Amino acid sequence: MQIFTQIDPLRAYWSQQKTTGKSFGFVPTMGALHEGHLSLIRSSEAECDITICSIFVNPTQFNNPTDLAKYPRPIENDIALLRSNGCDVLFCPPEEEIYQDNPQIHFDVGTLGNSLEGFYRPGHFNGVALIVAKLFNIVRPDRAYFGQKDYQQFLIVNRLVRDLNFNVLLRCIPIQREPDGLAMSSRNSRLSDDQRKKAIAFFHCLKMAQSKLKTGTAFHQIREEARQYCRSHSVKLEYFEMADATSLAIQENPSPNTILLIAGYVGEVRLIDNVMINE
Ligand code: PAF
């Protein structure tokens, strides 16, 4: 695996590979890699000649400085995982390579960016759009792979690609789960043993909602039950919503295209999860 920390050598490598018509698959990450990321790498490997993974803990998408400071950064372990999973190229720039100046361009991603994650993490999607646009311009991939766990992020990147005409095909890869159902996340490594057991509460609420909606229970009742369940399991529910999976418009009545989205805290670790209603 080739490792680049600077933009210019990566661009030179890209141009050289393109002379032989190679296709590039891109997996942008913030590191602390787990099976979820590796499933994106494998999807890219299956479809593209060269798989590039980036590791960059992007400061502009953190609205909470403690969260940024505590974000796990096990770079040696990540490199070993990428090597053993057949990744071809790693791009892991230092912060000053990406943000030479304080960025002046801001993305307003519209209603899609103001609800759910955007509401609870003001500025988050501006930072995501900014770094994804920068990385797409640097890496110039043919295809890019994102996880369904960050579903709202995927829809926003999709909008970014359409609105700015990035020549990249996006893929949304299903959530990878632990045997008990907990969605894999880099943040899970910050959970204590006790918190790890409690963290399953969010997936429990999603599954409970899936089955109760099938029997006709109103979503506001389900949300109230979820609130009580989370309280009794000492986790803090931030939001639990039912939305149209294409527009992310909040719904009170389910449709075949409904997605259930949940977010909350276990201790000071913030987790998100989602399921399609018919999954
Ligand atoms: O999903 C992530 O890990 C990040 O939001 C991303 C897409 C790598 C941008 O920093």
Side-chain angles (χ1 to χ4, degrees):
M1 182 175 74
Q2 298 212 37
I3 301 181
F4 295 93
T5 58
Q6 306 294 306
I7 296 169
D8 287 346
L10 176 61
R11 285 197 162 139
Y13 169 84
W14 184 94
S15 301
Q16 188 199 1
Q17 296 299 325
K18 277 289 167 186
T19 59
T20 55
K22 296 268 168 49
S23 63
F24 281 81
F26 181 40
V27 181
T29 81
M30 298 203 299
L33 303 179
H34 49 70
E35 191 52 37
H37 297 112
L38 299 179
S39 73
L40 307 185
I41 298 275
R42 282 193 289 272
S43 301
S44 169
E45 278 171 0
E47 294 186 327
C48 305
D49 297 320
I50 297 177
T51 293
I52 301 195
C53 175
S54 66
I55 295 182
F56 181 67
V57 182
N58 174 37
T60 61
Q61 72 187 73
F62 284 82
N63 57 316
N64 176 346
T66 313
D67 193 23
L68 173 61
K70 293 201 170 166
Y71 202 84
R73 291 167 171 85
I75 188 68
E76 292 307 326
N77 190 52
D78 285 349
I79 290 174
L81 274 176
L82 290 173
R83 279 196 213 282
S84 58
N85 280 276
C87 180
D88 302 295
V89 176
L90 168 62
F91 179 51
C92 51
E95 194 177 319
E96 56 278 14
E97 182 69 0
I98 298 295
Y99 293 113
Q100 277 124 5
D101 305 307
N102 200 10
Q104 299 298 305
I105 301 293
H106 282 262
F107 286 86
D108 175 349
V109 283
T111 47
L112 196 52
N114 292 332
S115 65
L116 304 167
E117 289 301 287
F119 180 80
Y120 287 97
R121 302 183 68 190
H124 170 64
F125 287 124
N126 165 60
V128 169
L130 186 62
I131 190 63
V132 171
K134 276 172 169 285
L135 290 170
F136 280 178
N137 278 326
I138 294 166
V139 174
R140 283 179 291 167
D142 298 286
R143 290 167 196 244
Y145 298 79
F146 292 83
Q148 187 197 317
K149 189 173 72 65
D150 296 290
Y151 189 73
Q152 192 174 6
Q153 166 174 281
F154 175 74
L155 291 185
I156 285 170
V157 173
N158 197 31
R159 199 64 229 205
L160 182 80
V161 164
R162 278 162 55 201
D163 287 359
L164 299 187
N165 297 88
F166 280 103
N167 192 15
V168 52
L169 190 74
L170 296 183
R171 292 268 193 249
C172 185
I173 306 298
I175 297 176
Q176 297 292 309
R177 298 187 178 279
E178 301 289 354
D180 65 355
L182 179 69
M184 291 192 184
S185 164
S186 302
R187 289 189 166 86
N188 292 352
S189 66
R190 289 179 55 202
L191 298 169
S192 68
D193 289 350
D194 182 46
Q195 289 172 333
R196 168 66 186 80
K197 286 183 199 134
K198 288 177 178 159
I200 196 61
F202 299 127
F203 184 61
H204 170 90
C205 292
L206 290 170
K207 295 309 278 183
M208 180 271 286
Q210 255 181 344
S211 69
K212 293 213 162 180
L213 284 167
K214 282 194 187 105
T215 65
T217 312
F219 187 66
H220 67 89
Q221 281 175 18
I222 294 171
R223 184 167 34 215
E224 190 44 43
E225 196 176 314
R227 223 172 248 141
Q228 284 171 20
Y229 184 89
C230 288
R231 205 173 299 130
S232 66
H233 287 77
S234 315
V235 304
K236 185 180 153 211
L237 183 62
E238 199 163 58
Y239 66 75
F240 185 23
E241 295 291 351
M242 196 164 71
D244 177 82
T246 310
S247 66
L248 226 57
I250 301 301
Q251 297 176 319
E252 277 308 315
N253 298 308
S255 74
N257 192 39
T258 290
I259 185 165
L260 295 158
L261 305 111
I262 197 163
Y265 284 88
V266 186
E268 55 173 33
V269 182
R270 189 168 183 282
L271 299 176
I272 60 174
D273 199 353
N274 64 72
V275 291
M276 293 298 294
I277 197 167
N278 292 323
E279 203 166 283

